[in-house]
Amino acid sequence: MGVLLCCPDWSAVTVHRQDHSILQPRTPGLKRSSCPSLLSSWEYSFITGPAVIPGYFSVDVNNVVLILNGREKAKIFYATQWLLYAQNLVQIQKLQHLAVVLLGNEHCNNEWINPFLKRNGGFVELLFIIYDSPWINDVDVFQWPLGVATYRNFPVVEASWSMLHDERPYLCNFLGTIYENSSRQALMNILKKDGNDKLCWVSAREHWQPQETNESLKNYQDALLQSDLTLCPVGVNTECYRIYEACSYGSIPVVEDVMTAGSCGNTSVHHNAPLQLLKSMGAPFIFIKNWKELPAVLEKEKTIILQEKIERRKMLLQWYQHFKAELKMKFTNILESSFLMKNKS
C-alpha cells in the first residue's frame, strides 16, 4: 500500500524527514521522492514546494498525509482550501484515508480544524499537531515536534570529532530578539549583573527578522558550535527552533520551563506541560522555571571538566538521533495500523 505525504507550504512547516528527522524537505521547489517503509511493505511518496496547489497531485494512492501550516489567518485560509479539496476526494471515493500534520498556532488556537476531524463528523482520521495542546490524547491526536528552522536554511549538521572533543570558548550563548518586559529582558539583565555576558556569546536585537542573512546564519551556527550551553527563553510559545538547533551542535539547551499565554494547556492538569513530548522522551536538557536560577547553573558549569563535557555532548547527540528515529517509527506505526484497521473494518 502507498501513502502520499503532501507538503504544500514547505517554507514554514517543519515536519522532519530522515535528514533533519523524518519528513522535512530541505529546499524549495517541487520535490518528489519515495521510499519504502522500514517497518512494512508500505511505500511512502513525498511532494512539496510552492508549485503544489489544491488539485495538483494525481491521487494514485488511497492514503494521504497533508502537512499544513495553521499559524496565522492567511495560512489557515490556504490550509482550508487543501482540506476542502481532500474532502471532495473522500466524498467521491478517490481517497480512502487522510491524516494531517499541523504546524499549529503558537497560542494553540486551532479550533478552525475541529470540524474536519473525524471525531466531529469530518474526514481527518489522525492529527499530528505541533505545540502542546489539550487535544492530544494519543488516540487520534498526537504531539509532533517543532524541529529546526529549515525555512531559514538551518543546515543538516554532521557531528565531527572536533564538535565532540574540542574545548568550547563560550560558557553559553543567546542570539535573538529581546521583547520589552519579557523574560528575555530579565535574562539579559541577569547575565549582565553577574558578568556572565562576558563569558557567553550574546547578541540581542530589538526586532524579529523572518529571514537570516548568510552572515547572521553563520554567526548563529558558530555560537551553537562554540558554546557548552544554549539559553532557550520562551517566545510566543515555550517550544522554539533553538532547542532542536542546539541539539544538532551538541550544545545543551537550558530551557525556560514555563507555560506561555494561550490555550496550550494547564500545568495543574498536564503535569509535564509545557514540552510534554520532549520530557516524555527523556530530553537531557537543563530545565529552569526562572532565569534567576541561571547564575547557579553557570557556576556549576565552570567546574565541569572537558571529559565530562565530551560525554555529555555524546549523550545529547545520541539522544537526539534516537528521538528522531523513535518519532519516525511512531509516525509510520500509527498511520499504518490506523489505516489498515479501518480497511479491515
Side-chain angles (χ1 to χ4, degrees), residues 110-154:
N110 302 305
E111 287 75 14
W112 65 273
I113 202 171
N114 246 329
F116 295 104
L117 301 183
K118 194 147 195 173
R119 63 158 101 167
N120 298 322
F123 57 94
V124 175
E125 297 171 26
L126 299 169
L127 176 64
F128 298 84
I129 191 165
I130 294 168
Y131 301 123
D132 289 287
S133 168
W135 296 359
I136 294 163
N137 56 16
D138 288 334
V139 176
D140 63 337
V141 182
F142 303 85
Q143 188 167 5
W144 195 254
L146 179 62
V148 303
T150 52
Y151 80 101
R152 298 177 78 170
N153 297 318
F154 190 83

Side-chain angles (χ1 to χ4, degrees), residues 218-233:
K218 184 179 186 305
N219 283 341
Y220 178 55
Q221 292 172 241
D222 287 346
L224 296 174
L225 180 61
Q226 296 179 37
S227 304
D228 290 312
L229 307 176
T230 293
L231 308 182
C232 302

Side-chain angles (χ1 to χ4, degrees), residues 309-325:
K309 291 180 180 180
I310 291 171
E311 293 305 315
R312 188 176 61 178
R313 288 173 204 163
K314 289 179 180 178
M315 182 178 71
L316 176 62
L317 289 167
Q318 287 168 359
W319 173 84
Y320 191 41
Q321 289 302 317
H322 174 75
F323 173 76
K324 293 183 286 186

